[in-house]
Amino acid sequence: MATDKSDVEIGQAQIEWVSRHSPVLNGFVRETLSDGALKGARIAVVVHLEAKTAFLATVLADAGAEVVVAGSNPRTTRGPVVEALKARGLTVVSAPDGDHASWERELLAAADWAPHYIIDDGAELTLRMGKFRPKLYANLKGVSEETTTGTARLHALRAAGKLPFAALTANDARCKHLFDNRYATGQTTLQAILRLTNRQIAGARVAVIGYGYVGRGIALYAKAMGAHTRVVETDPVRALEAHMDGHKVGTAADMLPGATMVIAATGGMRAVGMSEFAHLDHDVLLANAGHHDLEIDVDVLAGLTNDRKETRPGITTFRVQERDLHVLSGGALVNIAGGSGHPVEIMDLTFAVQGLGAHHLVSAKLAPGVHIIPKALDDAIAAAKLKSMGISLSEARSEQEDDIAQWIEGMPK
């Protein structure tokens, strides 16, 4: 007679599935980390705590690092994965089903573990160490940052003279933002919305707020699936790009009325707030695909009504002035809180950047400031991915190269 699997077994199976589909992490990254550079390094991994993050943590631990794992969001930590990591012997300070108060305590527990290096998401642990654990912050040797939001925060710290160590913006690596932000978020955001709502995408009027790589990916996938796409953007260049990509572009006041789905993808806060709520139609779906849980101002929305109810699992409906406004996953990052997160194949690239980024921080002795991984390393990750798919490339022949050297040599001094 079959018996129910334990959380440990479920988590282990999920991590093993990631391992099976991560040829770059299991090949090129493991080979690079086998030089012993990470042995004894204390690394805090603070990314959405699900199976793909767990696998990265195990790869670092296998390379000799001492690893503590925490979640970068209170509503995206998976219980079975936590138990599997603990059974493996890793230190985990986060638990599932938390709130912002418990999450803050977990991050401070990760800080008190006194890491040398952080693989961060949104600079959440980095900022809290700087503010609440300044002595431990002063002892940090490096940070590798996952997101656009965190990258902006690191640049702000540097500009304020409060970044005393080297920080890698993994988000700016081409093998990260060109694939993770665009294709992964585009696919999984819509997957989660459709799974939660059982609604149709073809013919839907989808408004995307923000047209960075995340917003581009969402709009791209929505349009390809038959949606009528609209974009709200404050940056004129990005707005022009959205227009030329075939999306309707304008202000929130112009784009939100008539929309059946509104997806926030700014990486900032309150992209959908008091002023935007006034422009929403009855029965609209509201989803967050950016870093902060506050992209949709759920607290303000709750203050506009006394009538709120769970209409489906993962959907809270607020009754506002005869309109039903449906918030998905409580305003948390919908593709993880309401879905399975990014595809394994994409995270194989992203976490290859993070794993090799940690190695680069330890090995390269970078000066304080914000850095990007070297192009050669970025290229090597892409080459390893192509190789795993059986794809080989030819090299440019000498006669195909620009003749600039001849021009330079022929110029008078």
Side-chain angles (χ1 to χ4, degrees), residues 42 49 58 62 65 83 85 94-95 122 125 127 156 202 225 228 253 257 259 265 296 360 369 384 404:
R42 294 172 66 84
L49 214 178
T58 66
D62 288 345
E83 296 308 315
L85 284 176
S94 291
L125 179 56
L127 290 175
M225 295 173 72
H228 303 285
I296 301 169
H360 187 61
I404 181 63

Side-chain angles (χ1 to χ4, degrees), residues 131-285:
K131 185 170 183 177
F132 301 116
R133 301 292 189 269
K135 291 183 179 179
L136 295 176
Y137 184 75
N139 291 329
L140 277 175
K141 298 179 180 180
V143 168
S144 186
E145 170 55 41
E146 178 85 354
T147 67
T148 305
T149 300
T151 296
R153 288 173 162 183
L154 290 174
H155 281 293
L157 286 172
R158 178 197 54 77
K162 296 182 179 181
L163 190 70
F165 46 79
L168 282 179
T169 168
N171 184 73
D172 287 346
R174 291 168 300 149
C175 279
K176 198 279 184 182
H177 69 264
L178 290 177
F179 306 98
D180 181 312
N181 297 24
R182 178 168 47 177
Y183 297 113
T185 309
Q187 172 184 317
T188 59
T189 294
L190 293 176
Q191 283 178 328
I193 291 172
L194 299 180
R195 186 189 72 81
L196 288 169
T197 65
N198 196 32
R199 298 283 291 274
Q200 179 174 300
I201 187 71
R205 297 179 296 277
V206 177
V208 180
I209 304 180
Y211 205 68
Y213 279 105
V214 168
R216 294 176 204 178
I218 295 167
L220 169 72
Y221 275 87
K223 189 176 182 66
M225 295 173 72
H228 303 285
T229 48
R230 311 169 176 192
V231 171
V232 178
E233 178 57 77
T234 58
D235 183 288
V237 175
R238 288 181 175 177
L240 183 58
E241 183 181 16
H243 169 75
M244 292 192 177
D245 285 343
H247 311 297
K248 191 175 180 180
V249 182
T251 65
D254 292 330
M255 295 297 103
L256 296 187
T260 54
M261 299 181 187
V262 176
I263 305 171
T266 67
M269 298 186 183
R270 302 174 187 87
V272 184
M274 179 66 82
S275 61
E276 287 76 25
F277 293 140
H279 302 302
L280 299 174
D281 282 9
H282 169 67
D283 208 34
V284 68
L285 302 171

Side-chain angles (χ1 to χ4, degrees), residues 304-319:
L304 297 176
T305 179
N306 291 321
D307 185 0
R308 59 185 290 181
K309 57 186 177 181
E310 299 300 311
T311 44
R312 278 174 65 92
I315 302 179
T316 307
T317 299
F318 296 82
R319 185 73 172 173

